[in-house]
Amino acid sequence: MDGGLRVRRDMLFRAPDRMVFDAAESPARWPEWDRSVRRVEATFEMASQNDGESEDIVVHTSRGRWTGRIVTWQPGRCVEIDIVKGRCLGAARGRIRRTYTNEPLGCRLTFEILLPMPELWIAKVYAQWSLRRIEHRIGKCLSRLRHMIECVPPD
């Protein structure tokens, strides 16, 4: 998705990468760290149960639901989900990418949303405004996830 819009936030977790991966990628735990998610339909509940095959997941949120297709599943390293139906963070298409990097103090989780570039100039202005809201929301999600894992009060 080159030439599109990108929102990127990262956070260092003082925990092993496997612990961070399991908390972030287990669909049953998404509502714990993303307040807009009500429930997730997937064939696996915990990250360790997924065999890495591409599959669709349905995410029920406070504003409706969206369907994503897991296109990359590398435990402890990277997960990519394509938005294939519905709207995720206001986007009807795009990709969610979460990357895990080991560091001396723990695991750095990088959360990216990649969206296609709108055609119309007014849509581009609106998209830039939306990106700031999305970036703020991702920051809140990462903070809640860190609180879950490290028992640190969320920002």
Side-chain angles (χ1 to χ4, degrees):
M1 193 161 301
D2 295 330
L5 303 169
R6 177 185 310 247
V7 176
R8 179 183 173 143
R9 290 285 301 258
D10 63 61
M11 185 172 284
L12 180 65
F13 292 79
R14 296 185 190 281
D17 60 341
R18 193 63 181 185
M19 181 184 283
V20 177
F21 183 84
D22 286 344
E25 302 306 337
S26 295
R29 298 194 70 187
W30 285 8
E32 294 177 50
W33 57 267
D34 185 343
R35 290 199 175 139
S36 71
V37 174
R38 300 297 179 239
R39 68 184 170 90
V40 180
E41 295 174 22
T43 59
F44 62 100
E45 286 196 23
M46 300 303 290
S48 58
Q49 296 171 339
N50 188 11
D51 59 9
E53 290 190 26
S54 177
E55 73 166 77
D56 287 355
I57 56 172
V58 179
V59 181
H60 297 267
T61 70
S62 56
R63 295 182 177 222
R65 71 180 190 178
W66 60 273
T67 302
R69 178 163 297 126
I70 297 173
V71 293
T72 303
W73 185 268
Q74 299 169 343
R77 292 186 22 218
C78 181
V79 170
E80 292 183 333
I81 302 170
D82 278 347
I83 302 164
V84 295
K85 184 177 179 185
R87 298 183 80 75
C88 172
L89 298 168
R93 294 176 297 144
R95 177 169 284 183
I96 299 166
R97 177 185 299 143
R98 289 188 286 265
T99 308
Y100 302 82
T101 309
N102 277 323
E103 294 190 1
L105 295 176
C107 174
R108 180 165 304 279
L109 170 54
T110 303
F111 195 131
E112 293 178 281
I113 307 270
L114 303 116
L115 305 170
M117 180 64 81
E119 298 291 324
L120 302 172
W121 72 269
I122 192 74
K124 290 178 183 179
V125 171
Y126 176 75
Q128 290 300 324
W129 176 77
S130 294
L131 290 179
R132 284 193 283 285
R133 284 188 18 227
I134 293 169
E135 184 177 25
H136 176 76
R137 183 162 161 220
I138 291 171
K140 288 287 193 188
C141 288
L142 288 172
S143 179
R144 282 192 286 275
L145 184 60
R146 188 169 88 192
H147 171 66
M148 253 176 59
I149 294 169
E150 299 178 14
C151 296
V152 174
D155 297 335

